[in-house]
Amino acid sequence: MATLSPYKLRIEGMDCAACALKIESAMQRLPGVSDVNVNYMAGTLALRFDQDRTPARTIEDKVKALGYTPIGTMAVEVRVPQRREHQPWWRENKGRLVLGTGGLLLLAFVFARLIPDWERWFYSGAALVSVVPFARRAVSGILSGSPFSIETLMTIAALGALAIGEPEEAAVVIFLFAVGELLETVAAGRARAGIEALIDLVPRTARRLRGAPSEIEEVRVDDLSIGDVVVVRPGDRIPSDGKVAVGSSEVNEAPVTGESMPVLKEVGSAVYAGSVNANGELHVEITRVASDNTIARIIHLVEEAQESKAPMARMIDRFSRWYTPAAMVVAVLVILIPPLVLGGDWMTWIYRGLATLLIACPCALVISTPAAIASGLAAGARHGLLIKGGAALETLGKVQTVAFDKTGTLTRGHPRVTNVMPVVGDESSVLARAAAVERGTSHPLGFAIVEAAKERELTLPVTFGGSIAVPGKAVTARLKDGFVSVGSPRHAAAMTSIESGLDDKIAALETEGKTVVVLLSGKTVEGLIALRDEPRLDAAEGVKRLIDQGIKTVILTGDNGRAANAIAALLGLDARAELLPEAKLAEIGRLRSTGPVAMVGDGINDAPALATASVGIAMGGGTDVALETADAALLHERVTGVADLIALSRTTLRNIWQNIAIALGLKSIFLITTLVGATTLWMAILADTGATVLVTANALRLLNHRSSE
């Protein structure tokens, strides 16, 4: 079996879904070519091919024959985002075509005024010359498996107009069609700008350290390697993903994650390419090269998402394959039936049949869904809402239940001190003595106690020797006044008697889902410290917004019922706790029986549940798992992002239906006016062009969609 080589080509002039379908059909007919994938939003063609059966040159020639311009092959294995080279519209092929057809039309008009007897011949010549590029593309499309292309309809209509003695209208139709194609190019460029804006977030150069701290060289970001250390001054953008090696500063991550507030970064903190350093110089050790940093991965995933079609887009594609030939049949019937059956004038009804052909052009209908989907995906990416495909974007708007994992999703993922109850001394002394015992510990509870003492800027007592930990019981250390331990209430009860009032306080705290530890000095209870994995700051708002949208919310967790119920009560949703992985999957299956379900998790231990749900949403600020596991990812790690995703999906679905209504509504109106003789050929093509422009402009409104901050 021959080895198939991957091949990727960037194409200019491919600006709508109909263009992509035409190229896809042509490629599929070439011998030895498979896995054809055309992305009109990115302007790329990707495939695998047998170079012995179909050389790369043949592929490029076929693209040219269809009327598009190959502008360079792309390395398949490299994912460094590249901005397209933009030229003024009059230098691009479609711009030159507008100028050419417009110039010929103007010349015909001038000469017709100078020599009126030759008017018909001047307009006929202009039309015949102008139609040649479109006729060549129509023939190439027919030979490549796309017989019912827009070029075919337009060429037939233009030549038909010439045949019945309407050369002026033929020339105007061709010119207006060229203008419509140019407008599609401009609109597609605006949609692409939504993604290319992400490319501009990453600086082109970086200041890399060489040996001594004072030696700095300016290098291209593409030349940075893992382990390099770069200097990021206040106001500079971070050139690639890394971790802070020296310094501390607030960093604005809004361009990457959508997080509106600057985030403090200290030694060891992770930073992302494209985020902006605010106020202090940082030395950043590079952990990802340019082709694999957060921005590059986001752009790559959004482009992949644009390649995958939503169910509604596939339905429109299937409909359009039948719609165009059916419209041609209708046009033929319009021409034949009135003269043959009703005795109508042949020239009148041929003219109306040609107008029907132009009205039947499917561009506006075909572009209605993919334009909206592409704009919705781009809008989400710009606000830290990464959606991996049109199918996921469409499904989100139909979700009836959102199931949350608890730890790390609705909560911060690590415990925090919530209560300090002194029995001896005050809160500060109890917390300081407990932190002294726990100093150096790796246990999450001990770490939280030490962090709480740091936040209060407490001075910790001196310990003599190291701490001794007995797993599940206590940590003990020697302070100046003797041995002190921090342990579980059960351990404390075994060591000394605990007053009933204190027992009641412990029980009350545990009922709230908190873990209680007892500070014990010898046999004296000095105080209680309660800890809990607290909800994220926006968790309550995020859940409320979902409920306001009419969506049922529930916690599915393997944690104990007491902790799950306490968090659920705080946030106002149901909880199903102590679920083993199999039970969690079964619960999602049960929920799916009543409608689409979204599962929100941290993207690591929730992977099976994310995959089983109708749509999986991962919480994670640019992590591999968040970007690769689920159908969507919340890069800013805000619970409100779930409601933002659903709102964006619903807005996109409304936009799609608006586009379909515009496309079919205008065609219906002009079909009626054509049949009664009120529509000219140039009005018919203007109606189609206008519908395409309106649909595209409506889809581009999604780029201005705003998520909650």
Side-chain angles (χ1 to χ4, degrees), residues 13 48 71 110 135 190 195 233 299 301 334 342 534 539 673 677:
R48 300 180 69 83
I71 54 176
V110 171
R190 281 202 59 196
I195 294 302
R233 299 166 299 187
I299 293 171
L301 288 169
V334 168
L342 305 175
E534 289 288 88
T673 58

Side-chain angles (χ1 to χ4, degrees), residues 177-428:
F177 181 77
V179 171
E181 284 200 322
L182 179 62
L183 291 175
E184 283 184 4
T185 299
V186 173
R190 281 202 59 196
R192 290 185 184 119
I195 294 302
E196 290 184 343
L198 292 174
I199 299 175
D200 291 338
L201 292 178
V202 181
R204 296 290 174 259
T205 60
R207 305 176 77 243
R208 182 169 62 186
L209 284 175
R210 292 183 57 193
S214 59
E215 293 185 34
I216 298 175
E217 62 177 347
E218 190 165 291
V219 298
R220 294 191 322 130
V221 169
D222 293 355
D223 294 333
L224 291 176
S225 302
I226 294 175
D228 285 348
V229 176
V230 297
V231 177
V232 184
R233 299 166 299 187
D236 286 352
R237 290 189 182 274
I238 293 167
S240 195
D241 291 6
K243 62 181 180 181
V244 177
V246 176
S248 66
S249 177
E250 289 186 323
V251 172
N252 179 8
E253 295 182 341
V256 183
T257 67
E259 175 58 61
S260 57
M261 298 298 294
V263 180
L264 178 64
K265 300 292 183 179
E266 300 176 305
V267 173
S269 298
V271 291
Y272 305 126
S275 49
V276 183
N277 184 20
N279 44 34
E281 184 173 279
L282 296 175
H283 291 188
V284 175
E285 180 183 340
I286 300 301
T287 57
R288 289 186 183 275
V289 295
S291 62
D292 197 37
N293 65 37
T294 300
I295 295 292
R297 285 181 290 150
I298 290 172
I299 293 171
H300 179 68
L301 288 169
V302 171
E303 288 181 345
E304 282 187 339
Q306 290 174 342
E307 291 172 4
S308 67
K309 291 183 179 179
M312 190 173 290
R314 290 194 292 268
M315 180 192 73
I316 293 293
D317 283 349
R318 289 193 298 270
F319 176 72
S320 65
R321 292 180 189 274
W322 289 97
Y323 166 85
T324 307
M328 294 184 75
V329 171
V330 170
V332 172
L333 294 176
V334 168
I335 292 172
L336 297 177
I337 291 178
L340 293 176
V341 178
L342 305 175
D345 178 68
W346 276 101
M347 289 303 170
T348 298
W349 287 101
I350 289 174
Y351 184 93
R352 293 179 185 179
L354 295 175
T356 302
L357 265 186
L358 294 176
I359 290 169
C361 292
C363 284
L365 182 63
V366 171
I367 204 174
S368 60
T369 298
I373 292 289
S375 295
L377 293 172
R382 288 161 64 178
H383 292 285
L385 309 173
L386 184 62
I387 308 166
K388 295 166 61 177
L393 179 59
E394 187 175 324
T395 303
L396 279 163
K398 302 172 183 176
V399 162
Q400 295 183 16
T401 305
V402 173
F404 290 95
D405 175 52
K406 182 180 75 69
T407 306
T409 300
L410 287 173
T411 64
R412 300 171 184 270
H414 52 82
R416 292 177 62 87
V417 172
T418 60
N419 305 83
V420 179
M421 295 185 173
V423 176
V424 176
D426 57 16
E427 287 189 13
S428 295

Side-chain angles (χ1 to χ4, degrees), residues 100-101 104-105 107-108 118-132 162 167-168 170-171 174:
T101 56
L104 287 170
L105 181 61
L107 283 175
W118 285 32
E119 178 178 359
R120 178 177 178 181
W121 297 107
F122 290 136
Y123 280 113
S124 295
L128 284 171
V129 174
S130 297
V131 83
V132 169
L162 286 173
E168 301 96 331
I174 297 167

